[in-house]
């Protein structure tokens, strides 16, 4: 049985003092949760968050990384740097990075490989735009993004990749995919993995849903056959709300 993994993506929000207060508040509320809990925080919060989250259930992730280990890449942070301070997870290829920072399937694949080279667990985002959905291309887009993101990985690495299906039209809009639609999209992603790596491996891959997840819809979304938790934006900025999402069955 796959475990549920609930990750918050703070995006460009939260100062270090706010991050520390958030984690101190969240830790007791999620200490008995069945789901795994991750907070993906801005670079400037990483060190403070790692210290505050020590000895709690909360794991800390970054929101991006460069694929090179070091070099003349002003403003970039490498996987090796993240690993050196104790970061365990990293979001790769979020739609906001694909849209505003020219990330594409090729750079996503390089970053996923570099994450594994540095013993970081990648959370790889895939998802279609509204236009692609309305023209019937959603499944083709998300399965192609999945295939290209995982290209060249070992079976073991594929098994340890977390995929987040985030339909772009549902991000920050208050519009959530229905549990059925999200579950079907995630099944299509799992089938694509099965096609390339076999059903046994596909059955082990954690595939999350993201896009306007909140306390009021988490239970329905996460009690489906294929949705293995969520990648949560706005609702991960409020302690009580995020704790309710983590404890979605309580
Ligand atoms: P919202 O939960 O704010 O819609 O954001 C989703 C997201 O982009 C998480 O990565």
């Amino acid at each position: 049985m796959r475990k549920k993994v609930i990750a918050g993506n703070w995006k460009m929000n939260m100062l270090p003092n706010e991050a520390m207060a958030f984690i101190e508040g969240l830790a007791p509320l999620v200490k008995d949760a069945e789901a795994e809990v991750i907070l993906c925080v801005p670079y400037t919060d990483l060190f403070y968050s790692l210290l505050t989250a020590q000895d709690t259930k909360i794991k800390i992730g970054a929101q991006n990384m460069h694929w090179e280990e070091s070099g003349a890449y002003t403003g970039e942070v490498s996987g090796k740097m993240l690993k050196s301070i104790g970061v365990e997870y990293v979001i790769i290829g979020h739609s906001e990075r694909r849209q505003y920072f020219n990330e594409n399937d090729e750079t996503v694949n390089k970053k996923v490989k570099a994450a594994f080279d540095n013993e970081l667990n990648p959370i790889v985002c895939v998802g279609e735009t509204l236009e692609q959905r309305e023209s019937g291309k959603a499944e083709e887009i998300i399965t192609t993004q999945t295939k290209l993101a995982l290209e060249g990985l070992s079976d073991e690495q594929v098994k340890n990749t977390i995929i987040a299906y985030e339909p772009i039209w549902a991000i920050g809009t208050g519009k959530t995919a229905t549990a059925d639609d999200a579950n079907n999209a995630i099944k299509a992603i799992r089938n694509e993995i099965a096609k390339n790596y076999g059903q046994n491996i596909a059955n082990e891959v954690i595939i999350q849903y993201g896009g306007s997840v909140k306390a009021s819809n988490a239970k329905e979304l996460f009690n489906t056959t294929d949705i293995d938790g969520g990648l949560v934006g706005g609702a991960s900025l409020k302690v009580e709300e995020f704790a309710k999402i983590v404890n979605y069955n309580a």
Side-chain angles (χ1 to χ4, degrees):
M1 252 269 287
R2 292 183 301 270
K3 62 186 174 203
K4 303 284 180 189
V5 180
I6 320 277
N9 173 10
W10 282 355
K11 308 192 179 182
M12 198 170 71
N13 295 290
M14 297 284 227
L15 299 176
N17 60 330
E18 296 167 326
M20 290 188 287
F22 185 102
I23 292 167
E24 276 166 13
L26 182 68
L29 302 179
V30 300
K31 69 176 184 347
D32 299 320
E34 275 172 33
E36 196 165 299
V37 192
I38 305 168
L39 287 174
C40 296
V41 308
Y43 291 134
T44 43
D45 291 342
L46 281 172
F47 197 67
Y48 301 93
S49 301
L50 284 159
L51 288 181
T52 315
Q54 258 178 7
D55 304 319
T56 75
K57 207 185 143 56
I58 303 163
K59 307 262 174 64
I60 302 298
Q63 300 172 11
N64 178 36
M65 59 175 268
H66 197 276
W67 60 84
E68 294 288 350
E69 285 203 343
S70 61
Y73 299 100
T74 302
E76 291 292 319
V77 170
S78 73
K80 189 174 181 179
M81 290 168 169
L82 296 176
K83 183 68 188 176
S84 73
I85 60 166
V87 172
E88 292 182 76
Y89 293 85
V90 58
I91 298 174
I92 290 177
H94 190 280
S95 60
E96 287 150 16
R97 296 216 54 90
R98 294 183 193 247
Q99 187 180 352
Y100 306 130
F101 303 99
N102 296 325
E103 297 211 10
N104 55 41
D105 293 325
E106 192 187 335
T107 59
V108 168
N109 180 246
K110 283 187 184 178
K111 290 181 181 198
V112 173
K113 286 179 177 157
F116 280 117
D117 287 346
N118 289 287
E119 294 169 6
L120 295 164
N121 300 296
I123 302 174
V124 182
C125 301
V126 301
E128 81 284 0
T129 62
L130 187 59
E131 197 188 353
Q132 289 163 338
R133 184 170 193 86
E134 283 175 348
S135 59
K137 294 205 182 97
E139 194 170 311
E140 184 192 329
I141 296 287
I142 59 178
T143 53
T144 304
Q145 286 177 338
T146 302
K147 181 172 168 221
L148 296 177
L150 302 179
E151 212 159 66
L153 297 189
S154 69
D155 289 0
E156 199 56 30
Q157 288 171 334
V158 171
K159 242 195 266 179
N160 288 310
T161 302
I162 297 176
I163 297 186
Y165 166 59
E166 299 206 309
I168 293 166
W169 48 270
I171 295 178
T173 57
K175 286 186 199 145
T176 318
T178 65
D180 266 356
D181 282 351
N183 196 46
N184 285 336
I186 286 175
K187 272 190 193 162
I189 292 170
R190 205 177 297 290
N191 284 339
E192 177 66 26
I193 299 172
K195 211 167 78 188
N196 301 314
Y197 301 92
Q199 193 65 52
N200 287 346
I201 288 176
N203 286 345
E204 289 196 44
V205 178
I206 303 285
I207 311 181
Q208 303 171 316
Y209 166 77
S212 301
V213 174
K214 27 190 190 272
S216 59
N217 59 25
K219 185 170 184 171
E220 191 188 356
L221 286 163
F222 302 161
N223 279 310
T224 47
T225 57
D226 279 66
I227 305 179
D228 303 322
L231 185 56
V232 186
S236 74
L237 296 169
K238 298 172 222 143
V239 175
E240 303 279 333
E241 176 84 4
F242 188 60
K244 281 187 193 153
I245 296 171
V246 172
N247 298 307
Y248 62 96
N249 266 339

